Amino acid sequence: MDPILPNLPAPQPPAPAAPSPPPPAEDAGSQALSDALRSSFFIVKIIMVALVLLFLGSGFFTVGPQQQAIVLRLGKPVGQGLQALLNPGFHWAFPSPIDEVIFVTNTTLHTVDSTVGWFQSPEDRAKGTPEPQMGNQLNPATTSYALTADTNIIHVVGALRYHITEPIDFLFNFTNAPFFITNALNNALLFAASQFRVDDILTSNRLAFKEKVTERVNELTDAEHLGIYIDQVDVDASPPLSLRNKFNEVDQAMINRNKLRNDAESYATTTLAKARGDAATETNVAQANRKRVVQMVQAQADTFVKLRGQFERDPAFFERIRQMAVLQQVYSNAQDRIIEPKASELRLQISRAPLEPSTNNYVTMP
Amino acid sequence: MKRNFLTLTVAFILIIICVLLLFVYQVRKSEVAVVTRFGKIDRVKIEPGPGLCWPWPIEKVYKLDQRIQNFEGKFEQFKLPDQNIILLSVYVGYRIDNPTNFFAKFNYGSIPEAEKTLEDMVRNAKNEVAGQHDFSDFVSTDPHRMKFAEIEDEILQKVQKQVHDNKYGLEINFVQIRKIGLPESVTQNVFTRMTSERQYYISKITAQGAEESSKIRSLADSQAAILLSDAEATSFTIRGQGEAEMMKSLEILQQNPSLATFNLQMDALEPFLKKSTLVLDQSSSPLQWLQQGPKGASPSGPVLTTNSTLPDLTPPVTRDP
């Protein structure tokens, strides 16, 4: 049990030998024997002192930068509450079996993965093993899953990160605290899944699901005074592998629906913009027409007033003069002029340009 | 004498160490100790620290872990009152509460034996509790119907009661569901239902998309049509206003309709014949002067060809004498 014990009885044999020197012995043989005994006794003493020093010196220990330590003296923590914690640095305690030093890693994050609910074990997941092929039956002994509120099967997985805030609680309340945390996470995943619909967990209400898991884990760990703070809970979910295609099709349908909706929205925007433009054109044209017609008739009336006197004096002459004036204009404005020789035949090919198709493509409501 | 003293001191210290090792035992903070004298429990030490005892074979010290320990129950199947079958496993947290009882019941405080007993108790409790709950108590969208936590509580209370009644010296801290499942044949039914549910969603979403899209489109079309007809109405009004204004000028023209008509016809001719091709008889109106003297004038109107198809093209020469 104690490594020092077998060494300590060693110095005892010289003790009974010690009383031998006092009787005056004259012969050189016993003198030499006494000298030899004395020097060996001296060596034994040095060894003893060294052993005691070594024993005490073995009590030094260092607490690393992210650690704290608790010293148990004869099984009882030295110091009360938080004062029992030794901070990073160089420390001394009595060597075993008097004192026992327990180290706690406190500042770093510890991670725990859920062990139920996923189609792979956490080890396989970490290794990135390819997903197994699943038939349309799940053997509960080999494949783990959760049940959702709408009685669907879903795979869920969680990872939890925590750090230790109360090392004494953490050490002395649980034999295996990480195991408890793992199971608390497992329980929280099943608990949360059982009150959400499969679509909520997978898509629409992912955040609420995650919050529920976090809330439940906190509840469970707080109730047992574990002395940890949960920094983060990550969850992931997957539909059963054999149904994944079906779930993807639903996603695809949603994407299509959104695309249809967006297309319709943009159609509506362009249609309305075009209609507004056309309406504005229509009224503007009407406005312009109105102005033109009014002005034209106005001009006619003005000319009429000026010419009326002349016309009433000799209508025939007036008409002839006007006619010649117009004829002059017509002749000079003509693009081509063909003068037909007398009594000859003239053939003309008259081609017509095709009508342009209508550009108005509104679908008007009945 | 001096040397004797040193030797004696060393010997004394060694003896003390040996005696202490024989007569003193330690209890860690996480432990409790049970001291037996000749095989019978004599006393229990719960507080951490050193304690005294007679050396073996008179007394013997057993140390037990006082912290909360976990164990996982088996994954077993239960029939629920609504004929559904569910598989459940729970994990249990317990600690040694009364070392004397615990020690006496479980063969010198054997943890494996205690867990075996506990497992049986938990199984029975699970069975009893599961027998009172429908499947909808395990999973439900309705938070009031959902009894997940209550089921755990009921199992816990049942186990606690049994442990207490039997004086096992244990405290059960929690019972929590760890794994849940359905029989293999049932999963197939669930998958079939899930598949048809997905199919339903797919068609529902697709239909929704088509419906929304056509709603939006037709709304836009009708709005566009309204905009256009409003514009037509407006432009009609505008034209009407124009015509009303025009009437004033027309009244002037009515004073001599024949002059007004003649003027309008003349004005119409000019732009109408712009860029047309004229085919003229040599004897037509001003051209006859190229050949004849002014006396033999026999004007006949020009023959006109245009790009247009106005049917009635009566040249102004009809009035010519």
Side-chain angles (χ1 to χ4, degrees):
Chain A
M1 184 181 170
D2 188 343
I4 299 157
L5 277 180
N7 292 334
L8 285 177
Q12 276 176 320
S20 61
E26 295 302 318
D27 69 285
S30 55
Q31 182 67 42
L33 183 64
S34 135
D35 282 355
L37 281 174
R38 194 175 295 135
S39 62
S40 62
F41 186 55
F42 180 69
I43 291 170
V44 168
K45 269 206 285 190
I46 290 178
I47 293 173
M48 272 177 66
V49 171
L51 282 174
V52 169
L53 286 179
L54 199 71
F55 175 69
L56 295 176
S58 70
F60 285 105
F61 61 94
T62 3
V63 177
Q66 290 180 334
Q67 287 181 324
Q68 283 180 309
I70 298 170
V71 175
L72 297 181
R73 182 156 299 156
L74 296 171
K76 200 174 175 178
V78 179
Q80 284 294 311
L82 284 175
Q83 287 176 338
L85 291 171
L86 297 177
N87 288 320
F90 202 55
H91 296 277
W92 185 83
F94 282 110
S96 176
I98 301 166
D99 281 359
E100 187 187 348
V101 184
I102 301 174
F103 293 96
V104 202
T105 313
N106 58 351
T107 42
T108 43
L109 288 177
H110 300 261
T111 310
V112 147
D113 289 314
S114 65
T115 52
V116 301
W118 198 249
F119 46 81
Q120 279 176 325
S121 68
E123 296 79 39
D124 282 349
R125 233 167 73 80
K127 271 188 283 178
T129 315
E131 289 171 356
Q133 285 293 314
M134 295 276 169
N136 48 5
Q137 283 193 353
L138 287 185
N139 181 354
T142 53
T143 313
S144 190
Y145 49 82
L147 297 176
T148 64
D150 47 357
T151 342
N152 281 343
I153 287 171
I154 191 172
H155 294 295
V156 284
V157 68
L160 182 149
R161 262 177 270 180
Y162 67 93
H163 66 261
I164 300 163
T165 50
E166 310 277 348
I168 298 172
D169 284 349
F170 188 78
L171 283 176
F172 298 116
N173 279 358
F174 267 85
T175 15
N176 191 348
F179 181 75
F180 170 69
I181 299 168
T182 307
N183 273 332
L185 179 62
N186 289 341
N187 179 271
L189 284 171
L190 299 183
F191 176 77
S194 66
Q195 24 192 310
F196 281 83
R197 291 172 189 282
V198 66
D199 292 298
D200 290 342
I201 299 173
L202 287 174
T203 45
S204 54
N205 219 346
R206 241 191 153 121
L207 210 64
F209 174 67
K210 190 180 142 179
E211 270 165 19
K212 195 85 197 168
V213 174
T214 315
E215 187 192 311
R216 173 77 173 174
V217 174
N218 270 314
E219 217 171 83
L220 295 178
T221 52
D222 285 353
E224 304 304 330
H225 303 291
L226 209 51
I228 61 165
Y229 178 79
I230 292 168
D231 296 275
Q232 206 185 339
V233 177
D234 290 317
V235 293
D236 196 9
S238 158
L241 295 181
S242 57
L243 292 183
R244 198 174 261 177
N245 284 341
K246 274 286 167 212
F247 277 79
N248 287 345
E249 277 175 42
V250 176
D251 289 346
Q252 196 54 49
M254 279 186 195
I255 294 170
N256 286 345
R257 179 184 66 186
N258 292 348
K259 190 180 173 301
L260 272 180
R261 191 191 290 149
N262 291 345
D263 285 354
E265 297 281 8
S266 68
Y267 168 82
T269 317
T270 46
T271 307
L272 283 178
K274 189 172 183 305
R276 259 180 237 115
D278 287 352
T281 314
E282 174 100 28
T283 46
N284 289 344
V285 167
Q287 206 64 265
N289 269 343
R290 163 190 164 183
K291 203 160 185 182
R292 195 172 54 78
V293 170
V294 170
Q295 278 174 350
M296 205 181 73
V297 179
Q298 183 68 48
Q300 286 280 348
D302 290 351
T303 335
F304 177 84
V305 172
K306 271 186 234 159
L307 299 180
R308 196 177 154 201
Q310 287 177 32
F311 176 78
E312 278 170 2
R313 244 175 278 139
D314 184 354
F317 178 71
F318 177 85
E319 279 177 7
R320 180 81 188 146
I321 292 300
R322 269 291 271 149
Q323 178 197 3
M324 285 319 292
V326 169
L327 215 54
Q328 189 187 349
Q329 272 303 320
V330 167
Y331 285 161
S332 56
N333 281 345
Q335 201 169 33
D336 299 301
R337 299 167 200 90
I338 299 166
I339 298 169
E340 182 201 17
K342 240 182 191 168
S344 71
E345 191 182 342
L346 180 73
R347 292 193 181 184
L348 294 174
Q349 181 145 17
I350 300 167
S351 63
R352 246 174 79 168
L355 282 171
E356 272 183 37
S358 166
T359 50
N360 186 349
N361 57 356
Y362 298 139
V363 184
T364 45
M365 293 296 290
Chain B
M1 202 53 216
K2 202 178 172 190
R3 201 174 298 159
N4 261 347
F5 176 73
L6 182 72
T7 317
L8 284 175
T9 320
V10 169
F12 184 68
I13 291 174
L14 287 173
I15 288 166
I16 288 187
I17 290 176
C18 286
V19 167
L20 283 179
L21 283 170
L22 279 174
F23 289 91
V24 173
Y25 64 94
Q26 290 185 19
V27 181
R28 288 177 84 206
K29 186 173 161 50
S30 54
E31 296 170 331
V32 283
V34 176
V35 182
T36 58
R37 183 175 294 166
F38 300 120
K40 276 174 75 184
I41 300 171
D42 185 62
R43 59 192 183 276
V44 169
K45 184 167 166 45
I46 293 170
E47 287 300 305
L52 286 171
C53 67
W54 294 105
W56 186 84
I58 304 166
E59 288 188 336
K60 200 171 176 201
V61 179
Y62 294 87
K63 290 174 188 168
L64 306 171
D65 201 325
Q66 205 190 10
R67 298 173 293 179
I68 297 177
Q69 320 204 28
N70 298 281
F71 89 89
E72 288 171 12
K74 287 207 175 69
F75 196 36
E76 295 155 323
Q77 98 182 21
F78 302 98
K79 196 162 194 182
L80 305 178
D82 57 1
Q83 302 305 308
N84 278 313
I85 293 171
I86 195 166
L87 285 97
L88 277 186
S89 87
V90 294
Y91 72 104
V92 180
Y94 67 93
R95 52 182 285 274
I96 297 164
D97 182 41
N98 184 334
T100 319
N101 288 348
F102 180 77
F103 198 77
K105 287 274 178 191
F106 300 110
N107 191 25
Y108 299 103
S110 154
I111 294 283
E113 263 189 50
E115 293 198 343
K116 222 176 128 195
T117 313
L118 262 182
E119 192 167 336
D120 288 342
M121 279 192 290
V122 169
R123 182 188 297 127
N124 289 338
K126 255 192 326 186
N127 242 330
E128 271 181 58
V129 172
Q132 297 161 10
H133 287 280
D134 284 346
F135 192 71
S136 57
D137 294 350
F138 288 88
V139 296
S140 174
T141 43
D142 179 359
H144 301 295
R145 289 214 59 181
M146 161 77 192
K147 294 196 178 122
F148 200 94
E150 282 87 338
I151 290 168
E152 288 176 346
D153 261 5
E154 283 172 36
I155 300 174
L156 174 65
Q157 273 158 24
K158 283 212 155 61
V159 178
Q160 266 172 347
K161 187 170 178 297
Q162 245 177 316
V163 165
H164 184 259
D165 291 351
N166 288 317
K167 295 207 167 52
Y168 283 127
L170 289 171
E171 180 192 36
I172 310 297
N173 297 75
F174 54 82
V175 172
Q176 281 158 11
I177 293 174
R178 181 182 175 270
K179 207 171 167 189
I180 207 162
L182 298 169
E184 196 168 352
S185 55
V186 176
T187 57
Q188 190 174 1
N189 299 343
V190 173
F191 282 165
T192 316
R193 186 169 46 76
M194 284 174 78
T195 311
S196 58
E197 223 171 75
R198 291 298 113 189
Q199 203 53 55
Y200 165 72
Y201 283 135
I202 292 169
S203 42
K204 187 177 151 189
I205 291 166
T206 312
Q208 251 179 16
E211 186 194 332
E212 278 178 37
S213 152
S214 67
K215 254 187 205 165
I216 295 171
R217 276 169 197 266
S218 59
L219 181 71
D221 284 338
S222 73
Q223 280 173 341
I226 290 169
L227 273 174
L228 282 178
S229 61
D230 280 355
E232 269 167 33
T234 315
S235 67
F236 189 76
T237 320
I238 292 169
R239 277 177 230 270
Q241 285 168 351
E243 272 157 28
E245 285 171 43
M246 205 169 74
M247 279 305 161
K248 283 182 216 154
S249 313
L250 284 182
E251 278 167 20
I252 301 172
L253 295 183
Q254 270 170 357
Q255 291 165 4
N256 191 332
S258 58
L259 172 61
T261 325
F262 175 70
N263 264 342
L264 284 172
Q265 278 173 345
M266 288 293 110
D267 287 348
L269 256 187
E270 195 183 306
F272 167 67
L273 288 174
K274 223 169 222 177
K275 291 199 177 162
S276 54
T277 303
L278 293 181
V279 180
L280 299 171
D281 188 352
Q282 275 181 355
S283 57
S284 57
S285 186
L287 289 179
Q288 84 265 32
W289 302 109
L290 293 174
Q291 291 178 343
Q292 296 175 4
K295 282 171 209 167
S298 63
S300 63
V303 179
L304 298 165
T305 318
T306 67
N307 284 337
S308 170
T309 48
L310 252 188
D312 190 22
L313 238 193
T314 331
V317 266
T318 38
R319 279 178 171 270
D320 215 294

